[in-house]
Amino acid sequence: MGLRMQRGRRPVAGSSLQVPALQLHVSKTAMRASQKDFESALSQVKLLKDPGNEVKLKLYALYKQATEGPCNTPKPGVFDLINKAKWDAWNALGSLPKETARQNYVDLVSGLSSSSDSSSQVKPEADRKQPGYETLVVTYEDSITKIMMNRPAKKNAVTTQMYNEIMLALKAASKDDSAITVLTGNGDYYSSGNDLTNFTDIPPEGIEEKAKSGAILLRDFVDCFIDFPKPLIAAVNGPAVGISVTILGLFDTVYASSRATFHTPFSHLGQSPEGCSSYTFPKIMGPAKAAEMLIFGKKITAAEACAQGLVTEVFPDSTFQKEVWTRLKAYSKLPPNAMRISKQVIRNREKEKLHAINAEEIRVLQERWLSDECTNAVMNFLTRKAKL
Ligand SMILES: CCCCCC/C=C/C(=O)SCCNC(=O)CCNC(=O)[C@H](O)C(C)(C)COP(=O)(O)OP(=O)(O)OC[C@H]1O[C@@H](n2cnc3c(N)ncnc32)[C@H](O)[C@@H]1OP(=O)(O)O
């Protein structure tokens, strides 16, 4: 997503303006950073350890101010969380002159470079619910970051906001000092998949634009799972549908309640597989079983999913929570670096391939979203004519 800093890319993203330690580096001297200093800071920033979203927002804002001047783009919608945060950060710089923004950018990068060895791990407040999420409950306890989808009345259907919040939570978990990260659902469902109302708010630019922005969101979402560096566990507390099933192939361990079912009704919805399932499912369960799920939309039970290798272990629903969390608490006490490195050894060689598969699946899906088959299926659900 937008809040990334990668080699070869312009730095994006930055901060609320409350980074006291870093603000100290904002120059109060008369010295002006030259264009060369600025370009050198732009190169330097790509080599830094990820400084976190706050600082990335600050960098983003200063970069935009230094190169384009005061914020000059329309304010993004309230649910476009990432772009709104970026816009807010840039807009907050008001009429700060370009030269000052350039100097501040150079000073900020220089401050980051000198402190980059001191703290790469952010310790979340122990045993506390993390603030700032509306569709999730994110907690940290016993070295476990737990991300719980929290729209039980809607069967944890994944709205645009929830996609964005899950990405933010995963990015934060990848940097906190938790040993393992768990995704689960609140209520009787794990998740009913993509919220079908995501398809309804068509922008003035038209349906193609909607499909394009959906494709970018989905690509970034799946990329987050491909790249997640620590052991990632799904605690599938109930039925799982669509995208919540397909991404399971990117988890390291999947525990399921005996009540869980796994359903990928893409043909029914006029859509096609995502989440890298076109690759991971045949690999995990063999092409024949994968085809039954991904082409014919066969719903399978937890026991079947376990027999086919998609699920690690099934627990009786009555003891699911107790048994899973006891197990996970024990695992979370293992040496975290060893677990992370083992995951890398297991997964890294496939990462590039998975990113390419993700991109290809989304290219196909984006076309599907514009098809009559897909439009009719979504309309049928929304007008109560059809359910899975
Ligand atoms: C940015 C775009 C990325 C797209 C990525 C591609 C992803 C693909 C997928 O995930 S495909 C799967 C999509 N999911 C579905 O098609 C499921 C649709 N839901 C259902 O069929 C049923 O709701 C059910 C079988 C999951 C549960 O049935 P039931 O137990 O009878 O409950 P209700 O239907 O009464 O549901 C309660 C409440 O939740 C709302 N709801 C449930 N699922 C969704 C959903 N996926 N999208 C939107 N809303 C959903 C349902 O409408 C009810 O709301 P209400 O109480 O009527 O206000």
Side-chain angles (χ1 to χ4, degrees):
M1 289 290 309
L3 296 188
R4 264 196 310 217
M5 220 165 9
Q6 287 185 351
R7 277 168 199 273
R9 287 202 188 169
R10 284 277 184 242
V12 282
S15 88
S16 80
L17 300 177
Q18 297 154 350
V19 193
L22 295 165
Q23 277 176 330
L24 293 179
H25 294 288
V26 174
S27 177
K28 294 188 187 74
T29 70
M31 219 177 83
R32 290 268 178 258
S34 65
Q35 181 61 23
K36 201 158 159 240
D37 294 334
F38 184 54
E39 279 162 16
S40 139
L42 290 174
S43 308
Q44 218 178 329
V45 88
K46 293 173 202 151
L47 304 173
L48 292 174
K49 283 183 196 160
D50 188 332
N53 287 341
E54 294 261 306
V55 177
K56 284 196 282 187
L57 272 177
K58 176 84 174 163
L59 286 166
Y60 169 80
L62 288 171
Y63 172 79
K64 295 293 276 184
Q65 193 85 8
T67 54
E68 295 179 35
C71 184
N72 56 12
T73 57
K75 186 173 184 168
V78 69
F79 293 125
D80 190 356
L81 292 180
I82 307 280
N83 285 320
K84 186 168 172 305
K86 288 162 76 178
W87 188 91
D88 285 342
W90 183 13
N91 192 46
L93 295 182
S95 57
L96 187 76
K98 276 186 174 181
E99 303 73 47
T100 313
R102 194 166 68 179
Q103 178 69 58
N104 290 357
Y105 186 95
V106 169
D107 289 342
L108 178 52
V109 173
S110 138
L112 287 171
S113 305
S114 56
S115 65
S116 66
D117 287 336
S118 57
S119 67
S120 60
Q121 301 250 299
V122 184
K123 186 169 170 46
E125 304 242 60
D127 305 353
R128 282 259 201 91
K129 187 177 158 206
Q130 310 283 301
Y133 297 99
E134 285 179 24
T135 65
L136 307 175
V137 175
V138 182
T139 47
Y140 173 82
E141 198 175 352
D142 295 322
S143 297
I144 302 174
T145 294
K146 173 177 160 191
I147 302 171
M148 184 167 71
M149 295 174 276
N150 190 33
R151 300 183 72 224
K154 299 285 181 184
K155 311 289 180 194
N156 298 321
V158 188
T159 54
T160 300
Q161 184 178 10
M162 195 192 281
Y163 284 110
N164 280 313
E165 290 191 358
I166 291 175
M167 286 191 276
L168 287 176
L170 285 174
K171 291 207 166 120
S174 72
K175 277 188 257 110
D176 69 23
D177 70 353
S178 60
I180 62 177
T181 300
V182 182
L183 183 65
T184 191
N186 188 15
D188 62 341
Y189 259 64
Y190 176 66
S191 168
S192 61
N194 185 47
D195 189 305
L196 295 173
T197 65
N198 285 339
F199 289 113
T200 56
D201 70 353
I202 308 299
E205 301 80 40
I207 183 96
E208 280 84 5
E209 269 314 301
K210 177 76 196 173
K212 213 185 276 175
S213 63
I216 292 168
L217 177 65
L218 183 59
R219 185 203 60 203
D220 290 341
F221 180 74
V222 175
D223 278 349
C224 269
F225 286 87
I226 297 171
D227 290 330
F228 193 71
K230 299 176 180 180
L232 184 61
I233 295 109
V236 184
N237 53 295
V241 184
I243 181 80
S244 74
V245 178
T246 54
I247 52 166
L248 292 176
L250 301 172
F251 282 66
D252 302 299
T253 300
V254 179
Y255 294 136
S257 147
S258 52
R259 213 170 43 76
T261 51
F262 298 82
H263 194 189
T264 49
F266 298 125
S267 299
H268 299 67
L269 293 166
Q271 298 185 40
S272 52
E274 20 62 358
C276 294
S277 59
S278 64
Y279 175 73
T280 57
F281 278 28
K283 196 167 168 216
I284 290 168
M285 58 183 79
K289 293 290 184 192
E292 257 199 317
M293 283 191 80
L294 297 176
I295 302 177
F296 302 122
K298 183 182 179 199
K299 189 198 286 187
I300 60 172
T301 64
E304 286 167 332
C306 191
Q308 289 167 20
L310 183 63
V311 162
T312 313
E313 193 168 335
V314 181
F315 298 87
D317 189 56
S318 55
T319 56
F320 176 72
Q321 298 292 347
K322 188 161 175 278
E323 291 196 62
V324 164
W325 290 104
T326 304
R327 175 90 57 98
L328 292 176
K329 275 178 195 167
Y331 287 167
S332 71
K333 293 188 174 64
L334 293 169
N337 291 335
M339 288 197 285
R340 219 177 41 238
I341 286 163
S342 296
K343 169 164 180 163
Q344 280 165 20
V345 170
I346 295 166
R347 298 240 170 215
N348 272 6
R349 73 178 73 88
E350 291 238 289
K351 260 192 187 177
E352 213 174 305
K353 188 171 192 168
L354 289 169
H355 284 300
I357 289 161
N358 184 26
E360 174 59 9
E361 285 179 347
I362 286 167
R363 190 189 62 73
V364 174
L365 189 51
Q366 196 176 335
E367 286 171 19
R368 288 273 86 219
W369 287 336
L370 302 176
S371 71
D372 288 346
E373 287 180 344
C374 179
T375 310
N376 292 339
V378 172
M379 286 312 294
N380 283 342
F381 175 75
L382 296 175
T383 55
R384 315 282 168 205
K385 283 197 203 130
K387 241 182 221 189
L388 294 174

